Amino acid sequence: TFCGNAGAPEHRLQSIQYSHARGRALLHLGRRRHGADDITEGHRLNLIMWNYNAELRRDPKFRARPFFVEKSRPDPVCVSFTHDRDYEAIKGQARPEGHEKFARLAWCPP
């Protein structure tokens, strides 16, 4: 599941539902909000690579990226118990047992 780019008004609105095919890889920019759907059979193997550009990160334009007000209520599929302060209100359920600490650590909405 892919949602909007971090900071954009549609940050927590679903944009793409990707159906994976065996033998394919999926690449995306890190600012794109995303999540892995539950699998119903077989197994999943993830290869995660992070790239870092020190010069870009020093640029004042990069450091001053704004967060815009959301344009509508978030799609529940774009809300996670690890990142969203309003998880319970959007999902209509408590955070999973053992993960209550994320309520203190969540950053979204800013």
Side-chain angles (χ1 to χ4, degrees):
T1 299
F2 286 92
C3 304
N5 287 333
E10 64 280 348
H11 176 219
R12 297 193 296 170
L13 296 179
Q14 185 177 11
S15 61
I16 299 169
Q17 183 71 40
Y18 176 76
S19 294
H20 194 63
R22 187 176 183 178
R24 293 213 172 156
L26 177 65
L27 303 175
H28 64 87
L29 295 174
R31 291 185 56 78
R32 173 68 66 173
R33 187 153 185 160
H34 62 281
D37 298 322
D38 294 335
I39 59 173
T40 57
E41 61 183 66
H43 65 277
R44 175 179 15 227
L45 194 60
N46 296 319
L47 171 64
I48 300 172
M49 299 178 354
W50 295 86
N51 294 299
Y52 185 88
N53 183 323
E55 184 176 341
L56 173 67
R57 290 176 183 264
R58 283 191 299 268
D59 186 320
K61 290 179 185 174
F62 177 84
R63 299 177 67 91
R65 295 172 296 180
F67 265 83
F68 295 97
V69 174
E70 293 177 304
K71 65 188 211 178
S72 63
R73 182 176 173 81
D75 289 328
V77 71
C78 293
V79 175
S80 73
F81 68 84
T82 55
H83 301 304
D84 296 288
R85 289 188 284 221
D86 55 359
Y87 174 87
E88 291 89 348
I90 302 299
K91 295 286 244 185
Q93 63 190 42
R95 292 173 198 271
E97 187 174 332
H99 297 284
E100 298 83 3
K101 70 177 181 181
F102 288 107
R104 295 186 318 273
L105 303 173
W107 60 270
C108 188

